[in-house]
Amino acid sequence: MFWSHSYVKGTALWATGTRRYEDTMGAKRKLDYDCPIRDVLDRVGDAWSVLTILELSKGPCRFNALKRVIDGISQRMLAVTLRNLERDGLVSRQVLPTAPPQVEYALTDRGHSLHGAIGALNAWAVEHQPGIRRDRSHYDQRPKLV
């Protein structure tokens, strides 16, 4: 498989095999993979999507509340993440009739079904994180090979 990417004026170009797409700072991706796992991993393979789904599994949430609880995410990255999750039918967006208008996000049925798989990964990570950190420390203390 051929993989290349270059950055020109904020634009990333990827070529994978005979497929190619352009992603301009959060623009819609034009590529739909034939392989289901690649198609899904394209969306949920990033930490922000996973963390957003985990937070929304607790119930509907407004944008600023999500930004406060997802440590380290920028306003722009949260907006892009929510837009992409909504585009894939994992998250719903509802404008609340308030002044000023507020927006609430919630997992759809599809999003809840994905949360089950992500929840299992989360439980595995919680259980194994201490051992992984210990192994990393041992590995980092080994003499460096030249």
Side-chain angles (χ1 to χ4, degrees), residues 84-124:
N84 287 332
L85 291 171
E86 182 182 7
R87 180 174 181 251
D88 286 351
L90 300 169
V91 168
S92 65
R93 178 182 187 271
Q94 180 182 7
V95 178
L96 302 174
T98 60
Q102 295 179 342
V103 178
E104 186 175 76
Y105 296 90
L107 288 181
T108 61
D109 289 342
R110 183 179 301 139
H112 280 290
S113 70
L114 178 60
H115 172 257
I118 291 174
L121 178 61
N122 184 52
W124 184 91

Side-chain angles (χ1 to χ4, degrees), residues 21-24 26-31 43 83-84 87:
Y21 69 94
E22 185 174 330
D23 185 2
T24 307
K28 281 194 260 184
R29 292 182 175 152
K30 298 175 185 173
L31 177 65
R43 177 60 51 236
R83 191 176 312 121
N84 287 332
R87 180 174 181 251

Side-chain angles (χ1 to χ4, degrees), residues 35-145:
C35 175
I37 191 67
R38 287 188 71 190
D39 201 25
V40 171
L41 283 177
D42 186 50
R43 177 60 51 236
V44 298
D46 68 274
W48 298 128
S49 291
V50 171
L51 293 173
T52 302
I53 290 169
L54 288 172
E55 283 303 321
L56 288 174
S57 71
K58 299 172 186 174
C61 200
R62 291 193 314 260
F63 184 91
N64 285 328
L66 278 171
K67 187 171 178 325
R68 279 192 299 274
V69 296
I70 302 175
D71 189 38
I73 194 167
S74 69
Q75 183 168 335
R76 183 189 181 293
M77 195 68 239
L78 179 57
V80 168
T81 299
L82 287 167
R83 191 176 312 121
N84 287 332
L85 291 171
E86 182 182 7
R87 180 174 181 251
D88 286 351
L90 300 169
V91 168
S92 65
R93 178 182 187 271
Q94 180 182 7
V95 178
L96 302 174
T98 60
Q102 295 179 342
V103 178
E104 186 175 76
Y105 296 90
L107 288 181
T108 61
D109 289 342
R110 183 179 301 139
H112 280 290
S113 70
L114 178 60
H115 172 257
I118 291 174
L121 178 61
N122 184 52
W124 184 91
V126 168
E127 180 182 345
H128 292 281
Q129 185 184 33
I132 290 170
R133 287 184 173 175
R134 185 177 52 253
D135 290 344
R136 285 177 184 164
S137 177
H138 289 138
Y139 181 90
D140 292 344
Q141 292 173 10
R142 290 186 345 200
K144 304 291 183 230
L145 299 176

